[in-house]
Amino acid sequence: MIDPATTPKLVLIVDDIEDNRVLLERALKVSGYRTVSVDSGQKALAFLSQDTPDIILLDWMMPGLSGIETLRTIRETHSTAHLPVIMCTAIGEDENIVEALNIGANDYVTKPISIPVLRARMAAHLTQKQTVNTLDNEKAETRRRLNEQTRRLFAQQAKG
């Protein structure tokens, strides 16, 4: 059985500039991540309709569907707790950062990207996501046990 805690995390890299994608792929693979990269928001959404990465690195300025529009669409079906999105963009104005965070970005890094900082931020968000998943699983197990105990009590009351 695959242990999700030790399975390399899948990173979806979304950037229209190939050099940016290649740089991020190389840097992350060295750190033990698996990567998939696409060059548009549309392709990112198509990927998400088939699979769910552990985290997304999303550029803002792309032709067609922008990163911020892509983020809005992602947040319609994926919560910030279950699918972290880090905006990785050259846009560094406060109002843009605030907008992205308000729409549902988990974090925001500006280009040129400091790879050590990006890795640290990714690790923090992935740890938080794992904690949420653990709590969700524990809650589901508690609910299952409570339902089973309730069923047994009703069965005993029906007999007695």
mmCIF file with all atom_site columns, all heavy atoms in Angstrom, residues 108-129:
data_model
loop_
_atom_site.group_PDB
_atom_site.id
_atom_site.type_symbol
_atom_site.label_atom_id
_atom_site.label_alt_id
_atom_site.label_comp_id
_atom_site.label_asym_id
_atom_site.label_entity_id
_atom_site.label_seq_id
_atom_site.pdbx_PDB_ins_code
_atom_site.Cartn_x
_atom_site.Cartn_y
_atom_site.Cartn_z
_atom_site.occupancy
_atom_site.B_iso_or_equiv
_atom_site.pdbx_formal_charge
_atom_site.auth_seq_id
_atom_site.auth_comp_id
_atom_site.auth_asym_id
_atom_site.auth_atom_id
_atom_site.pdbx_PDB_model_num
ATOM 1   N N   . TYR A 1 108 ? 1.661  33.859 -2.159  1.00 0.00 ? 108 TYR A N   1
ATOM 2   C CA  . TYR A 1 108 ? 1.987  34.706 -3.300  1.00 0.00 ? 108 TYR A CA  1
ATOM 3   C C   . TYR A 1 108 ? 3.488  34.948 -3.286  1.00 0.00 ? 108 TYR A C   1
ATOM 4   O O   . TYR A 1 108 ? 4.016  35.445 -2.286  1.00 0.00 ? 108 TYR A O   1
ATOM 5   C CB  . TYR A 1 108 ? 1.240  36.031 -3.141  1.00 0.00 ? 108 TYR A CB  1
ATOM 6   C CG  . TYR A 1 108 ? 1.108  36.876 -4.383  1.00 0.00 ? 108 TYR A CG  1
ATOM 7   C CD1 . TYR A 1 108 ? -0.089 36.931 -5.076  1.00 0.00 ? 108 TYR A CD1 1
ATOM 8   C CD2 . TYR A 1 108 ? 2.168  37.644 -4.854  1.00 0.00 ? 108 TYR A CD2 1
ATOM 9   C CE1 . TYR A 1 108 ? -0.239 37.721 -6.200  1.00 0.00 ? 108 TYR A CE1 1
ATOM 10  C CE2 . TYR A 1 108 ? 2.029  38.445 -5.985  1.00 0.00 ? 108 TYR A CE2 1
ATOM 11  C CZ  . TYR A 1 108 ? 0.825  38.478 -6.648  1.00 0.00 ? 108 TYR A CZ  1
ATOM 12  O OH  . TYR A 1 108 ? 0.675  39.259 -7.758  1.00 0.00 ? 108 TYR A OH  1
ATOM 13  N N   . VAL A 1 109 ? 4.169  34.566 -4.342  1.00 0.00 ? 109 VAL A N   1
ATOM 14  C CA  . VAL A 1 109 ? 5.599  34.856 -4.476  1.00 0.00 ? 109 VAL A CA  1
ATOM 15  C C   . VAL A 1 109 ? 5.827  35.592 -5.783  1.00 0.00 ? 109 VAL A C   1
ATOM 16  O O   . VAL A 1 109 ? 5.146  35.337 -6.779  1.00 0.00 ? 109 VAL A O   1
ATOM 17  C CB  . VAL A 1 109 ? 6.483  33.591 -4.403  1.00 0.00 ? 109 VAL A CB  1
ATOM 18  C CG1 . VAL A 1 109 ? 6.385  32.930 -3.046  1.00 0.00 ? 109 VAL A CG1 1
ATOM 19  C CG2 . VAL A 1 109 ? 6.140  32.607 -5.490  1.00 0.00 ? 109 VAL A CG2 1
ATOM 20  N N   . THR A 1 110 ? 6.771  36.518 -5.754  1.00 0.00 ? 110 THR A N   1
ATOM 21  C CA  . THR A 1 110 ? 7.042  37.300 -6.958  1.00 0.00 ? 110 THR A CA  1
ATOM 22  C C   . THR A 1 110 ? 8.294  36.786 -7.654  1.00 0.00 ? 110 THR A C   1
ATOM 23  O O   . THR A 1 110 ? 9.209  36.241 -7.029  1.00 0.00 ? 110 THR A O   1
ATOM 24  C CB  . THR A 1 110 ? 7.186  38.799 -6.633  1.00 0.00 ? 110 THR A CB  1
ATOM 25  O OG1 . THR A 1 110 ? 8.186  38.962 -5.640  1.00 0.00 ? 110 THR A OG1 1
ATOM 26  C CG2 . THR A 1 110 ? 5.869  39.375 -6.147  1.00 0.00 ? 110 THR A CG2 1
ATOM 27  N N   . LYS A 1 111 ? 8.291  36.980 -8.971  1.00 0.00 ? 111 LYS A N   1
ATOM 28  C CA  . LYS A 1 111 ? 9.435  36.612 -9.804  1.00 0.00 ? 111 LYS A CA  1
ATOM 29  C C   . LYS A 1 111 ? 10.426 37.770 -9.804  1.00 0.00 ? 111 LYS A C   1
ATOM 30  O O   . LYS A 1 111 ? 9.997  38.919 -9.765  1.00 0.00 ? 111 LYS A O   1
ATOM 31  C CB  . LYS A 1 111 ? 8.968  36.316 -11.233 1.00 0.00 ? 111 LYS A CB  1
ATOM 32  C CG  . LYS A 1 111 ? 8.069  35.116 -11.328 1.00 0.00 ? 111 LYS A CG  1
ATOM 33  C CD  . LYS A 1 111 ? 7.559  34.954 -12.753 1.00 0.00 ? 111 LYS A CD  1
ATOM 34  C CE  . LYS A 1 111 ? 6.595  33.785 -12.851 1.00 0.00 ? 111 LYS A CE  1
ATOM 35  N NZ  . LYS A 1 111 ? 6.030  33.659 -14.199 1.00 0.00 ? 111 LYS A NZ  1
ATOM 36  N N   . PRO A 1 112 ? 11.701 37.484 -9.863  1.00 0.00 ? 112 PRO A N   1
ATOM 37  C CA  . PRO A 1 112 ? 12.296 36.144 -9.913  1.00 0.00 ? 112 PRO A CA  1
ATOM 38  C C   . PRO A 1 112 ? 12.098 35.419 -8.590  1.00 0.00 ? 112 PRO A C   1
ATOM 39  O O   . PRO A 1 112 ? 12.223 36.000 -7.521  1.00 0.00 ? 112 PRO A O   1
ATOM 40  C CB  . PRO A 1 112 ? 13.770 36.401 -10.188 1.00 0.00 ? 112 PRO A CB  1
ATOM 41  C CG  . PRO A 1 112 ? 14.022 37.799 -9.741  1.00 0.00 ? 112 PRO A CG  1
ATOM 42  C CD  . PRO A 1 112 ? 12.730 38.537 -9.869  1.00 0.00 ? 112 PRO A CD  1
ATOM 43  N N   . ILE A 1 113 ? 11.778 34.143 -8.709  1.00 0.00 ? 113 ILE A N   1
ATOM 44  C CA  . ILE A 1 113 ? 11.412 33.341 -7.541  1.00 0.00 ? 113 ILE A CA  1
ATOM 45  C C   . ILE A 1 113 ? 12.671 32.859 -6.823  1.00 0.00 ? 113 ILE A C   1
ATOM 46  O O   . ILE A 1 113 ? 13.582 32.322 -7.452  1.00 0.00 ? 113 ILE A O   1
ATOM 47  C CB  . ILE A 1 113 ? 10.547 32.141 -7.971  1.00 0.00 ? 113 ILE A CB  1
ATOM 48  C CG1 . ILE A 1 113 ? 9.225  32.643 -8.536  1.00 0.00 ? 113 ILE A CG1 1
ATOM 49  C CG2 . ILE A 1 113 ? 10.319 31.187 -6.808  1.00 0.00 ? 113 ILE A CG2 1
ATOM 50  C CD1 . ILE A 1 113 ? 8.393  31.569 -9.196  1.00 0.00 ? 113 ILE A CD1 1
ATOM 51  N N   . SER A 1 114 ? 12.689 33.038 -5.522  1.00 0.00 ? 114 SER A N   1
ATOM 52  C CA  . SER A 1 114 ? 13.725 32.437 -4.687  1.00 0.00 ? 114 SER A CA  1
ATOM 53  C C   . SER A 1 114 ? 13.292 30.993 -4.441  1.00 0.00 ? 114 SER A C   1
ATOM 54  O O   . SER A 1 114 ? 12.287 30.744 -3.765  1.00 0.00 ? 114 SER A O   1
ATOM 55  C CB  . SER A 1 114 ? 13.846 33.188 -3.361  1.00 0.00 ? 114 SER A CB  1
ATOM 56  O OG  . SER A 1 114 ? 14.587 32.407 -2.445  1.00 0.00 ? 114 SER A OG  1
ATOM 57  N N   . ILE A 1 115 ? 14.016 30.053 -5.000  1.00 0.00 ? 115 ILE A N   1
ATOM 58  C CA  . ILE A 1 115 ? 13.640 28.642 -4.889  1.00 0.00 ? 115 ILE A CA  1
ATOM 59  C C   . ILE A 1 115 ? 13.618 28.175 -3.434  1.00 0.00 ? 115 ILE A C   1
ATOM 60  O O   . ILE A 1 115 ? 12.664 27.491 -3.023  1.00 0.00 ? 115 ILE A O   1
ATOM 61  C CB  . ILE A 1 115 ? 14.548 27.757 -5.779  1.00 0.00 ? 115 ILE A CB  1
ATOM 62  C CG1 . ILE A 1 115 ? 14.369 28.128 -7.270  1.00 0.00 ? 115 ILE A CG1 1
ATOM 63  C CG2 . ILE A 1 115 ? 14.265 26.273 -5.544  1.00 0.00 ? 115 ILE A CG2 1
ATOM 64  C CD1 . ILE A 1 115 ? 12.968 27.976 -7.816  1.00 0.00 ? 115 ILE A CD1 1
ATOM 65  N N   . PRO A 1 116 ? 14.596 28.532 -2.591  1.00 0.00 ? 116 PRO A N   1
ATOM 66  C CA  . PRO A 1 116 ? 14.499 28.108 -1.185  1.00 0.00 ? 116 PRO A CA  1
ATOM 67  C C   . PRO A 1 116 ? 13.245 28.649 -0.487  1.00 0.00 ? 116 PRO A C   1
ATOM 68  O O   . PRO A 1 116 ? 12.611 27.939 0.300   1.00 0.00 ? 116 PRO A O   1
ATOM 69  C CB  . PRO A 1 116 ? 15.779 28.661 -0.541  1.00 0.00 ? 116 PRO A CB  1
ATOM 70  C CG  . PRO A 1 116 ? 16.738 28.801 -1.674  1.00 0.00 ? 116 PRO A CG  1
ATOM 71  C CD  . PRO A 1 116 ? 15.896 29.169 -2.861  1.00 0.00 ? 116 PRO A CD  1
ATOM 72  N N   . VAL A 1 117 ? 12.882 29.889 -0.770  1.00 0.00 ? 117 VAL A N   1
ATOM 73  C CA  . VAL A 1 117 ? 11.669 30.460 -0.168  1.00 0.00 ? 117 VAL A CA  1
ATOM 74  C C   . VAL A 1 117 ? 10.437 29.728 -0.693  1.00 0.00 ? 117 VAL A C   1
ATOM 75  O O   . VAL A 1 117 ? 9.531  29.381 0.070   1.00 0.00 ? 117 VAL A O   1
ATOM 76  C CB  . VAL A 1 117 ? 11.584 31.980 -0.443  1.00 0.00 ? 117 VAL A CB  1
ATOM 77  C CG1 . VAL A 1 117 ? 10.210 32.535 -0.063  1.00 0.00 ? 117 VAL A CG1 1
ATOM 78  C CG2 . VAL A 1 117 ? 12.692 32.718 0.296   1.00 0.00 ? 117 VAL A CG2 1
ATOM 79  N N   . LEU A 1 118 ? 10.394 29.475 -1.997  1.00 0.00 ? 118 LEU A N   1
ATOM 80  C CA  . LEU A 1 118 ? 9.261  28.753 -2.569  1.00 0.00 ? 118 LEU A CA  1
ATOM 81  C C   . LEU A 1 118 ? 9.133  27.369 -1.949  1.00 0.00 ? 118 LEU A C   1
ATOM 82  O O   . LEU A 1 118 ? 8.032  26.952 -1.558  1.00 0.00 ? 118 LEU A O   1
ATOM 83  C CB  . LEU A 1 118 ? 9.392  28.645 -4.093  1.00 0.00 ? 118 LEU A CB  1
ATOM 84  C CG  . LEU A 1 118 ? 8.275  27.863 -4.785  1.00 0.00 ? 118 LEU A CG  1
ATOM 85  C CD1 . LEU A 1 118 ? 6.925  28.542 -4.594  1.00 0.00 ? 118 LEU A CD1 1
ATOM 86  C CD2 . LEU A 1 118 ? 8.596  27.694 -6.269  1.00 0.00 ? 118 LEU A CD2 1
ATOM 87  N N   . ARG A 1 119 ? 10.245 26.641 -1.833  1.00 0.00 ? 119 ARG A N   1
ATOM 88  C CA  . ARG A 1 119 ? 10.203 25.304 -1.223  1.00 0.00 ? 119 ARG A CA  1
ATOM 89  C C   . ARG A 1 119 ? 9.666  25.370 0.209   1.00 0.00 ? 119 ARG A C   1
ATOM 90  O O   . ARG A 1 119 ? 8.867  24.521 0.618   1.00 0.00 ? 119 ARG A O   1
ATOM 91  C CB  . ARG A 1 119 ? 11.591 24.681 -1.223  1.00 0.00 ? 119 ARG A CB  1
ATOM 92  C CG  . ARG A 1 119 ? 12.052 24.189 -2.556  1.00 0.00 ? 119 ARG A CG  1
ATOM 93  C CD  . ARG A 1 119 ? 13.413 23.525 -2.398  1.00 0.00 ? 119 ARG A CD  1
ATOM 94  N NE  . ARG A 1 119 ? 14.016 23.254 -3.680  1.00 0.00 ? 119 ARG A NE  1
ATOM 95  C CZ  . ARG A 1 119 ? 15.298 23.484 -3.977  1.00 0.00 ? 119 ARG A CZ  1
ATOM 96  N NH1 . ARG A 1 119 ? 16.105 24.006 -3.071  1.00 0.00 ? 119 ARG A NH1 1
ATOM 97  N NH2 . ARG A 1 119 ? 15.764 23.198 -5.163  1.00 0.00 ? 119 ARG A NH2 1
ATOM 98  N N   . ALA A 1 120 ? 10.120 26.357 0.967   1.00 0.00 ? 120 ALA A N   1
ATOM 99  C CA  . ALA A 1 120 ? 9.671  26.491 2.358   1.00 0.00 ? 120 ALA A CA  1
ATOM 100 C C   . ALA A 1 120 ? 8.177  26.784 2.419   1.00 0.00 ? 120 ALA A C   1
ATOM 101 O O   . ALA A 1 120 ? 7.449  26.216 3.248   1.00 0.00 ? 120 ALA A O   1
ATOM 102 C CB  . ALA A 1 120 ? 10.461 27.585 3.060   1.00 0.00 ? 120 ALA A CB  1
ATOM 103 N N   . ARG A 1 121 ? 7.703  27.646 1.543   1.00 0.00 ? 121 ARG A N   1
ATOM 104 C CA  . ARG A 1 121 ? 6.272  27.967 1.538   1.00 0.00 ? 121 ARG A CA  1
ATOM 105 C C   . ARG A 1 121 ? 5.445  26.770 1.095   1.00 0.00 ? 121 ARG A C   1
ATOM 106 O O   . ARG A 1 121 ? 4.385  26.493 1.657   1.00 0.00 ? 121 ARG A O   1
ATOM 107 C CB  . ARG A 1 121 ? 6.017  29.177 0.647   1.00 0.00 ? 121 ARG A CB  1
ATOM 108 C CG  . ARG A 1 121 ? 6.556  30.440 1.268   1.00 0.00 ? 121 ARG A CG  1
ATOM 109 C CD  . ARG A 1 121 ? 6.313  31.645 0.401   1.00 0.00 ? 121 ARG A CD  1
ATOM 110 N NE  . ARG A 1 121 ? 6.882  32.822 1.043   1.00 0.00 ? 121 ARG A NE  1
ATOM 111 C CZ  . ARG A 1 121 ? 6.451  34.048 0.860   1.00 0.00 ? 121 ARG A CZ  1
ATOM 112 N NH1 . ARG A 1 121 ? 5.438  34.289 0.054   1.00 0.00 ? 121 ARG A NH1 1
ATOM 113 N NH2 . ARG A 1 121 ? 7.023  35.051 1.474   1.00 0.00 ? 121 ARG A NH2 1
ATOM 114 N N   . MET A 1 122 ? 5.945  26.046 0.093   1.00 0.00 ? 122 MET A N   1
ATOM 115 C CA  . MET A 1 122 ? 5.241  24.840 -0.346  1.00 0.00 ? 122 MET A CA  1
ATOM 116 C C   . MET A 1 122 ? 5.170  23.831 0.790   1.00 0.00 ? 122 MET A C   1
ATOM 117 O O   . MET A 1 122 ? 4.102  23.247 1.042   1.00 0.00 ? 122 MET A O   1
ATOM 118 C CB  . MET A 1 122 ? 5.951  24.232 -1.557  1.00 0.00 ? 122 MET A CB  1
ATOM 119 C CG  . MET A 1 122 ? 5.811  25.028 -2.830  1.00 0.00 ? 122 MET A CG  1
ATOM 120 S SD  . MET A 1 122 ? 6.823  24.368 -4.183  1.00 0.00 ? 122 MET A SD  1
ATOM 121 C CE  . MET A 1 122 ? 6.129  22.716 -4.373  1.00 0.00 ? 122 MET A CE  1
ATOM 122 N N   . ALA A 1 123 ? 6.280  23.622 1.485   1.00 0.00 ? 123 ALA A N   1
ATOM 123 C CA  . ALA A 1 123 ? 6.308  22.656 2.585   1.00 0.00 ? 123 ALA A CA  1
ATOM 124 C C   . ALA A 1 123 ? 5.307  23.048 3.666   1.00 0.00 ? 123 ALA A C   1
ATOM 125 O O   . ALA A 1 123 ? 4.593  22.191 4.202   1.00 0.00 ? 123 ALA A O   1
ATOM 126 C CB  . ALA A 1 123 ? 7.723  22.555 3.157   1.00 0.00 ? 123 ALA A CB  1
ATOM 127 N N   . ALA A 1 124 ? 5.234  24.335 3.983   1.00 0.00 ? 124 ALA A N   1
ATOM 128 C CA  . ALA A 1 124 ? 4.286  24.791 5.007   1.00 0.00 ? 124 ALA A CA  1
ATOM 129 C C   . ALA A 1 124 ? 2.850  24.513 4.583   1.00 0.00 ? 124 ALA A C   1
ATOM 130 O O   . ALA A 1 124 ? 2.042  24.017 5.386   1.00 0.00 ? 124 ALA A O   1
ATOM 131 C CB  . ALA A 1 124 ? 4.485  26.282 5.271   1.00 0.00 ? 124 ALA A CB  1
ATOM 132 N N   . HIS A 1 125 ? 2.513  24.810 3.328   1.00 0.00 ? 125 HIS A N   1
ATOM 133 C CA  . HIS A 1 125 ? 1.139  24.586 2.860   1.00 0.00 ? 125 HIS A CA  1
ATOM 134 C C   . HIS A 1 125 ? 0.817  23.103 2.753   1.00 0.00 ? 125 HIS A C   1
ATOM 135 O O   . HIS A 1 125 ? -0.310 22.684 3.052   1.00 0.00 ? 125 HIS A O   1
ATOM 136 C CB  . HIS A 1 125 ? 0.900  25.300 1.531   1.00 0.00 ? 125 HIS A CB  1
ATOM 137 C CG  . HIS A 1 125 ? 0.880  26.782 1.677   1.00 0.00 ? 125 HIS A CG  1
ATOM 138 N ND1 . HIS A 1 125 ? -0.104 27.460 2.371   1.00 0.00 ? 125 HIS A ND1 1
ATOM 139 C CD2 . HIS A 1 125 ? 1.750  27.735 1.251   1.00 0.00 ? 125 HIS A CD2 1
ATOM 140 C CE1 . HIS A 1 125 ? 0.142  28.753 2.355   1.00 0.00 ? 125 HIS A CE1 1
ATOM 141 N NE2 . HIS A 1 125 ? 1.268  28.945 1.688   1.00 0.00 ? 125 HIS A NE2 1
ATOM 142 N N   . LEU A 1 126 ? 1.794  22.300 2.346   1.00 0.00 ? 126 LEU A N   1
ATOM 143 C CA  . LEU A 1 126 ? 1.557  20.860 2.250   1.00 0.00 ? 126 LEU A CA  1
ATOM 144 C C   . LEU A 1 126 ? 1.403  20.233 3.635   1.00 0.00 ? 126 LEU A C   1
ATOM 145 O O   . LEU A 1 126 ? 0.594  19.321 3.820   1.00 0.00 ? 126 LEU A O   1
ATOM 146 C CB  . LEU A 1 126 ? 2.674  20.187 1.453   1.00 0.00 ? 126 LEU A CB  1
ATOM 147 C CG  . LEU A 1 126 ? 2.642  20.508 -0.045  1.00 0.00 ? 126 LEU A CG  1
ATOM 148 C CD1 . LEU A 1 126 ? 3.931  20.074 -0.714  1.00 0.00 ? 126 LEU A CD1 1
ATOM 149 C CD2 . LEU A 1 126 ? 1.427  19.879 -0.718  1.00 0.00 ? 126 LEU A CD2 1
ATOM 150 N N   . THR A 1 127 ? 2.132  20.734 4.618   1.00 0.00 ? 127 THR A N   1
ATOM 151 C CA  . THR A 1 127 ? 1.976  20.257 5.988   1.00 0.00 ? 127 THR A CA  1
ATOM 152 C C   . THR A 1 127 ? 0.590  20.610 6.518   1.00 0.00 ? 127 THR A C   1
ATOM 153 O O   . THR A 1 127 ? -0.094 19.782 7.135   1.00 0.00 ? 127 THR A O   1
ATOM 154 C CB  . THR A 1 127 ? 3.066  20.861 6.904   1.00 0.00 ? 127 THR A CB  1
ATOM 155 O OG1 . THR A 1 127 ? 4.343  20.418 6.434   1.00 0.00 ? 127 THR A OG1 1
ATOM 156 C CG2 . THR A 1 127 ? 2.865  20.451 8.349   1.00 0.00 ? 127 THR A CG2 1
ATOM 157 N N   . GLN A 1 128 ? 0.162  21.831 6.248   1.00 0.00 ? 128 GLN A N   1
ATOM 158 C CA  . GLN A 1 128 ? -1.168 22.257 6.675   1.00 0.00 ? 128 GLN A CA  1
ATOM 159 C C   . GLN A 1 128 ? -2.247 21.405 5.996   1.00 0.00 ? 128 GLN A C   1
ATOM 160 O O   . GLN A 1 128 ? -3.208 20.974 6.640   1.00 0.00 ? 128 GLN A O   1
ATOM 161 C CB  . GLN A 1 128 ? -1.370 23.734 6.354   1.00 0.00 ? 128 GLN A CB  1
ATOM 162 C CG  . GLN A 1 128 ? -2.676 24.286 6.847   1.00 0.00 ? 128 GLN A CG  1
ATOM 163 C CD  . GLN A 1 128 ? -2.791 25.782 6.582   1.00 0.00 ? 128 GLN A CD  1
ATOM 164 O OE1 . GLN A 1 128 ? -2.181 26.329 5.675   1.00 0.00 ? 128 GLN A OE1 1
ATOM 165 N NE2 . GLN A 1 128 ? -3.602 26.452 7.383   1.00 0.00 ? 128 GLN A NE2 1
ATOM 166 N N   . LYS A 1 129 ? -2.066 21.141 4.719   1.00 0.00 ? 129 LYS A N   1
ATOM 167 C CA  . LYS A 1 129 ? -3.031 20.312 3.987   1.00 0.00 ? 129 LYS A CA  1
ATOM 168 C C   . LYS A 1 129 ? -3.089 18.899 4.588   1.00 0.00 ? 129 LYS A C   1
ATOM 169 O O   . LYS A 1 129 ? -4.171 18.352 4.776   1.00 0.00 ? 129 LYS A O   1
ATOM 170 C CB  . LYS A 1 129 ? -2.624 20.238 2.512   1.00 0.00 ? 129 LYS A CB  1
ATOM 171 C CG  . LYS A 1 129 ? -3.472 19.305 1.684   1.00 0.00 ? 129 LYS A CG  1
ATOM 172 C CD  . LYS A 1 129 ? -2.974 19.202 0.261   1.00 0.00 ? 129 LYS A CD  1
ATOM 173 C CE  . LYS A 1 129 ? -3.759 18.164 -0.492  1.00 0.00 ? 129 LYS A CE  1
ATOM 174 N NZ  . LYS A 1 129 ? -3.382 18.092 -1.889  1.00 0.00 ? 129 LYS A NZ  1
#
